[in-house]
Amino acid sequence: MFDVDLFVIGGGSGGVRAARIAAGHGAKVALAEESRMGGTCVIRGCVPKKLMVFASGYPAAFEDAAHYGWQVSAGDFDWGQFRARLGAELDRLEGLYRAGLVNAGVTVHDSRATLVDPHTVRLADGTELRARHILIATGGRPFVPDFPGREHVLVSDDIFNLERLPESVLIVGGGFIACEFACILQGLGVEVTQYYRGAQILRGFDDEARGHVAELMQEAGIRLHVGCDVEAIEPRDGGYLVRGRDGSERVFGAVLYATGRVPNTDGLGLEAAGITPGRRGEVPVDEWSQTVVPSIHAVGDVTDRIALTPVAIREGHAFADTLFGNMPRTVDHGLVAAAVFTQPCELGAVGLTEEAAREKGPIHVYQAAFRPMRQSFAGRSMRVMMKLVVCAQTDRVLGCHIVAPEAGEMIQLAAVAIGMGATKADFDRTCAVHPTMAEELVTMRNPVRTA
């Protein structure tokens, strides 16, 4: 009755992991991807963005080097050269993803696939395949609200393919994508203005931490305007005239919208298969990543749970182990670390924010802000922040928030301890590694406040 045991729609991180693991368990697997293998993370997101973060950090590093006795100068940034190297690296990674599938025995279809019914998918050329199980892993796409002139804006997917960098850019949005690209482009020499309609950027993160990041971004030269939104955009003078809702008008070389992402389900055929999409277009699933249709599952951003690549990979792996490996397991979405790669400091977070923890009961808050040794020696006034949110009744560390260079690296290790249920006493018993920024996490003795 079936051509394959599993048909995966989407070649991003979650879909590829599920396909490979299922094939390793002996299942006959096929996968369809209409764009490039690797999905958002490898081709249009995490990987190229992080490489741009690295590139944009060199001007500050050159400045600091002079204070350490090095005679260096940054010179001019060659966007064309960097973009070519970036493209070659993405080609290499895409090749690895494809080879991993082929070597695992997965049949790859470079085609769009849509649902026909609970067991049938149709490829772009009209070919229909029957599958015992179908996994939807189509990810998400950038969202741009409807307003006059929306056709003139860029989205994050476009940045990596620009022929040249603009002299000035307006970035609209206050999430991690908007803030990261604001820092990246500012570091590459672009004059950056950022509008966010809310009261503070990075909604959902700890209030004190996101306020610290906002201050550092402004000190770095980013013109951040909160409580501000766009009314209309029109071409003007080789750029784009942006009218703000506050009555302001200004011309920018480009306008980048980073106002969130939505599940990529348009035209997928969910209704034909018996699935009603959620309010944002997501595929509703249970803790086993199963939809209301027993033969159809979904993982990753398309489910609108936690839109992070490692989460999608875990979901895809757990799905394959459960269905084809006789190892039933679910994914715990309750404690997931995250990092925002802003500059000069990143934001790393795991667990509860101070605000969320306070709602659950009494807490002790331990916090320290200081000038790190490397930047202090170079004459920079930048301050980093370390913060622990601790349950006053059990002494368990409920949350950790770090604003510092390489905060993403530090929060990964803190997440292990917090995931194991570490208490503040456990942190205190840990001997510091000196001199490091992270040693502050184990040397904070007295809470700055109790709530």
Side-chain angles (χ1 to χ4, degrees), residues 34-54:
E34 65 176 324
S35 183
R36 298 184 63 180
M37 203 65 65
T40 297
C41 180
V42 174
I43 304 300
R44 298 174 294 277
C46 318
V47 172
K49 176 197 69 182
K50 191 64 180 289
L51 291 171
M52 288 186 73
V53 168
F54 293 149

Side-chain angles (χ1 to χ4, degrees), residues 3 118 141 153 160 170 181 185 211 237 247 266 289 355 385 408 447 451:
D3 299 301
R141 55 184 171 80
V153 309
F160 313 110
L170 170 65
F181 275 112
L185 293 174
D237 302 329
D266 288 355
S289 295
E355 296 71 38
M385 189 192 82

Side-chain angles (χ1 to χ4, degrees), residues 148-166:
R150 73 186 298 273
E151 67 274 13
H152 300 303
V153 309
L154 301 170
V155 295
S156 58
D157 293 359
D158 302 319
I159 293 296
F160 313 110
N161 298 314
L162 291 175
E163 289 296 324
R164 62 180 181 83
L165 292 178

Side-chain angles (χ1 to χ4, degrees), residues 186-227:
Q186 190 275 335
L188 296 179
V190 180
E191 181 186 288
V192 177
T193 303
Q194 184 176 353
Y195 285 1
Y196 178 51
R197 65 182 183 179
Q200 185 58 279
I201 59 171
L202 298 173
R203 181 171 60 88
F205 287 91
D206 183 85
D207 281 354
E208 192 172 23
R210 62 194 184 122
H212 197 99
V213 172
E215 291 177 7
L216 291 172
M217 289 174 61
Q218 290 173 304
E219 290 174 5
I222 295 168
R223 295 165 178 162
L224 177 61
H225 300 272
V226 296

Side-chain angles (χ1 to χ4, degrees), residues 12 20 84 114 118 134 172 180 213 216 240-241 269 277 304 306 308 321 361 378 385 428 441-442 444:
R20 288 177 54 214
T114 55
I134 298 172
V172 182
E180 288 173 342
V213 172
L216 291 172
Y240 299 94
L241 176 67
D304 205 28
I306 299 178
L308 293 173
D321 281 347
M385 189 192 82
D428 293 342
L441 292 174
V442 299
M444 294 184 288

Side-chain angles (χ1 to χ4, degrees), residues 123-144:
L123 302 180
D125 63 2
T127 301
E128 293 189 356
L129 295 168
R130 296 273 293 167
R132 187 180 303 276
H133 298 281
I134 298 172
L135 178 66
I136 301 170
T138 50
R141 55 184 171 80
F143 168 76
V144 178

Side-chain angles (χ1 to χ4, degrees), residues 54 56-68 70 72 74 374 378 380:
F54 293 149
S56 65
Y58 280 103
F62 290 140
E63 290 179 7
D64 289 352
H67 292 278
Y68 279 86
W70 291 95
V72 295
R374 175 182 291 184
R380 295 191 182 275

